[in-house]
Amino acid sequence: MKTYSISEVANKLNLTVYTLRYYDKEGLLPFVERKDNGTRLFKDADIEALHIIECLKSTGMPIKEIKNFIDWCGEGDATLQQRYDLFVERKANVEAQLEELTKTMAIIDHKCDYYKTALEAGTEDIHKNKKLDIYSTN
């Protein structure tokens, strides 16, 4: 079974060694084995777990809540409902973020069109008869 050093894992996941050490310190990596001298030995399964940690983190989940998830994983089938509920909640959170980003993108698209038209005309006066509300998508 192939193992990876902390620097190899950091490179694979585009993280810093410091971040991985921080995750370990916060209890997010209890599954990572160590050599007798304390050097971490990461396996492919550990890298997959880190992908899930990074996924949860990207949804805005605090480290302490990610730690709860990791603890639930260690408890086995007794926590399947909690883990399912956590991902349902995260999904709703990401859907809300996507909705907000879609609204933001509509405004940005509108302003790009506005300024492109003004540049082509050489003046913003071309928009004088249009509503100039920054939140308008028309």
Side-chain angles (χ1 to χ4, degrees), residues 13 23 28 31 45-59 61 66 69-70 73 86-87 90:
L13 298 176
Y23 287 174
L28 301 183
F31 42 80
D46 302 333
I47 293 170
E48 289 304 313
L50 280 161
H51 281 294
I52 299 300
I53 290 168
E54 285 298 296
C55 171
L56 292 172
K57 190 174 154 231
S58 74
T59 70
M61 180 179 272
I66 297 172
F69 169 73
I70 296 298
C73 290
L86 178 139
F87 276 94
R90 287 290 97 193

Side-chain angles (χ1 to χ4, degrees), residues 55-56 58-61 83-99:
C55 171
L56 292 172
S58 74
T59 70
M61 180 179 272
R83 289 182 273 159
Y84 172 76
D85 292 345
L86 178 139
F87 276 94
V88 168
E89 184 270 330
R90 287 290 97 193
K91 181 179 178 189
N93 182 277
V94 169
E95 287 169 344
Q97 289 174 351
L98 283 170
E99 187 175 317

Side-chain angles (χ1 to χ4, degrees), residues 9-137:
V9 172
N11 286 333
K12 272 182 170 283
L13 298 176
N14 200 26
L15 297 171
T16 65
V17 169
Y18 171 81
T19 298
L20 292 171
R21 287 186 179 132
Y22 172 73
Y23 287 174
D24 195 22
K25 180 179 163 248
E26 292 299 313
L28 301 183
L29 307 176
F31 42 80
V32 174
E33 293 179 25
R34 290 180 180 254
K35 290 183 182 178
D36 290 339
N37 67 2
T39 302
R40 294 167 189 86
L41 294 173
F42 291 86
K43 295 177 271 184
D44 288 325
D46 302 333
I47 293 170
E48 289 304 313
L50 280 161
H51 281 294
I52 299 300
I53 290 168
E54 285 298 296
C55 171
L56 292 172
K57 190 174 154 231
S58 74
T59 70
M61 180 179 272
I63 295 292
K64 288 182 192 283
E65 289 181 36
I66 297 172
K67 166 86 166 78
N68 289 338
F69 169 73
I70 296 298
D71 291 344
W72 290 338
C73 290
E75 293 173 26
D77 290 347
T79 62
L80 283 172
Q81 186 67 52
Q82 289 100 315
R83 289 182 273 159
Y84 172 76
D85 292 345
L86 178 139
F87 276 94
V88 168
E89 184 270 330
R90 287 290 97 193
K91 181 179 178 189
N93 182 277
V94 169
E95 287 169 344
Q97 289 174 351
L98 283 170
E99 187 175 317
E100 282 302 310
L101 285 172
T102 299
K103 290 176 187 175
T104 299
M105 185 57 81
I107 294 168
I108 290 170
D109 282 343
H110 169 69
K111 295 311 283 183
C112 285
D113 290 343
Y114 172 93
Y115 288 114
K116 181 179 180 191
T117 303
L119 281 167
E120 288 169 354
T123 179
E124 282 186 87
D125 289 347
I126 194 164
H127 297 293
K128 275 192 174 179
N129 294 331
K130 295 180 182 177
K131 187 177 180 184
L132 289 180
D133 183 339
I134 64 167
Y135 297 104
S136 171
T137 57

